[in-house]
Amino acid sequence: MTTPPGTLVNSAAARMVGRTPLVELAAIGAGLPHRILAKCEFLNPAGSVKDRIGHHIIRRAEEEHLLLPGKSTLVEATAGNTGVALACAAAGRYRVIVTMSSKMGPDKEAMMRAWGAEVVRCPYDVPPESAESFINTARRIAEETPHSYYVDQFANPWNREAHELTTGPEILEQTGGEVAAFVAGAGTGGTITGVARALTAAGSPARVVLADPAGSILADRLRGGHEPGHGYAIEGIGGDFVPDLLDLGLVDDACEVSDAESVAMCLRLQTEEGLWVGGSSGTAVAAALRLAVTLPGPRSNIVVMLPDGGSRYSSTLFNPSWRTQRGFVSEDPAR
Ligand code: PMP
């Protein structure tokens, strides 16, 4: 803990967050009536879209004197990426404790531990209101830990703000404002809501489309339904409750994607585009391809989020025996 109290972060990593490339998926998108442009969030310094909020929330909390370098402990409930991002942004200044549901694979846990974060695993198959859920466990740990700051990414407006101030404006700049649609999954809803707000503020006519794993309740709630959800394999998006930050009023449409389709798309992204990305990227690209076929209007840009890299799923999605066990068998015998 070497940084003097009150000093805002100025690490190399902090200065590398954002300004990620927007690259056309020309092979996967060949022959489609619209261009598919992928926002490469896995190129952030600690490897995911969550670097944007990790650094932004800590900076804002420091400005508001909610954190004391060398003394405070950050506590958060995460699918893994926010934990890695917070540990990177907090490096050398804060203790980090994260809770994570047992559904998440081991790779992100190992990464968080490598960054020095403490990881508490919680049961997956409990309702969100259970005291044992990963969110309620994080709340309890925050209450019990002296000088703690509960990051609360599912409700913290600085999460959405990070995307409204950076991700959205970057997309507008990189496309020259020509965006017919924006496609993303929602975990906390920070990305999709923040980007949607930036697009709306700029007067963009872009359709905002939620890519949701089949089994999540979010797409159903957007349509006004009350169907129960069920388990699914893709990590980091969808869920069994609507987070406070997710403004469904800004979402025009939802596209439900099965686990098998998301996994197959991840493998296609590897072999056809040379991109090794996580499951939620597969979900979003699968949704973007479906949208590209139906979206009316002259040829334009569909922007799709690639939130993290595939190395975080080496033990799961990119492990052939894991895929076989779950019936996600690739048609390509080489895989
Ligand atoms: N993809 C992955 C892999 C994630 O971990 C997350 C965040 N949980 C998201 C997408 C969704 O981001 P957001 O929380 O901003 O909705």
Side-chain angles (χ1 to χ4, degrees):
M1 303 276 172
T2 48
T3 312
T7 306
L8 294 181
V9 65
N10 187 31
S11 62
R15 283 176 274 117
M16 288 168 64
V17 175
R19 297 180 300 278
T20 52
L22 185 71
V23 63
E24 182 176 1
L25 303 182
I28 279 186
L32 291 173
H34 297 283
R35 275 179 296 272
I36 311 289
L37 304 182
K39 189 79 171 136
C40 296
E41 293 300 303
F42 56 92
L43 293 175
N44 277 298
S48 87
V49 66
K50 292 295 184 177
D51 285 335
R52 294 179 186 267
I53 75 158
H55 284 83
H56 186 69
I57 290 176
I58 289 181
R59 183 174 287 271
R60 296 290 268 123
E62 286 179 339
E63 284 168 357
E64 300 294 325
H65 306 290
L66 298 172
L67 290 172
L68 285 171
K71 206 164 190 189
S72 298
T73 297
L74 297 162
V75 182
E76 183 57 316
T78 177
N81 284 330
T82 299
V84 174
L86 286 171
C88 170
R93 292 180 305 145
Y94 304 110
R95 182 180 169 204
V96 177
I97 307 176
V98 300
T99 64
M100 195 185 187
S101 102
S102 57
K103 161 183 167 172
M104 309 304 160
D107 305 290
K108 282 179 288 185
E109 177 177 344
M111 236 173 229
M112 285 188 283
R113 291 191 189 280
W115 274 102
E118 294 153 62
V119 183
V120 178
R121 285 286 193 160
C122 304
Y124 170 53
D125 43 7
V126 294
E129 57 279 7
S130 158
E132 285 181 275
S133 77
F134 75 126
I135 292 180
N136 285 332
T137 304
R139 284 203 181 102
R140 181 180 51 74
I141 292 171
E143 278 163 22
E144 291 169 358
T145 307
H147 303 294
S148 67
Y149 173 67
Y150 177 42
V151 178
D152 198 7
Q153 60 170 333
F154 291 91
N156 189 329
W158 294 333
N159 168 358
R160 178 191 67 218
E161 186 179 77
H163 295 288
E164 199 173 346
L165 295 177
T166 70
T167 324
E170 285 172 31
I171 290 169
L172 285 161
E173 194 192 319
Q174 288 169 312
T175 56
E178 200 196 313
V179 189
F182 174 70
V183 182
T188 64
T191 305
I192 198 164
T193 305
V195 171
R197 284 168 69 120
L199 293 171
T200 306
S204 167
R207 285 187 77 71
V208 174
V209 177
L210 173 74
D212 207 31
S216 160
I217 65 157
L218 300 180
D220 177 69
R221 295 304 179 271
L222 179 70
R223 298 182 191 117
H226 298 90
E227 290 297 314
H230 60 79
Y232 54 92
I234 298 303
E235 298 181 22
I237 54 170
D240 52 6
F241 69 100
V242 180
D244 290 353
L245 272 194
L246 175 58
D247 185 350
L248 289 175
L250 295 177
V251 179
D252 297 299
D253 208 349
C255 178
E256 284 162 284
V257 180
S258 71
D259 281 340
E261 202 184 338
S262 296
V263 172
M265 189 55 70
C266 285
L267 299 179
R268 282 191 64 191
L269 282 158
Q270 258 189 332
T271 51
E272 294 177 41
E273 301 284 1
L275 297 178
W276 189 22
V277 292
S280 70
S281 302
T283 311
V285 173
L289 290 196
R290 271 196 237 162
L291 181 68
V293 179
T294 54
L295 193 68
R299 184 169 178 79
S300 186
N301 299 318
I302 296 177
V303 174
V304 60
M305 290 297 275
L306 305 183
D308 68 359
S311 63
R312 285 156 199 241
Y313 308 93
S314 298
S315 307
T316 55
L317 302 185
F318 296 99
N319 172 358
S321 44
W322 183 94
R323 291 201 298 266
T324 310
Q325 268 167 22
R326 279 161 183 77
F328 304 142
V329 181
S330 164
E331 280 153 38
D332 177 355
R335 305 293 308 222

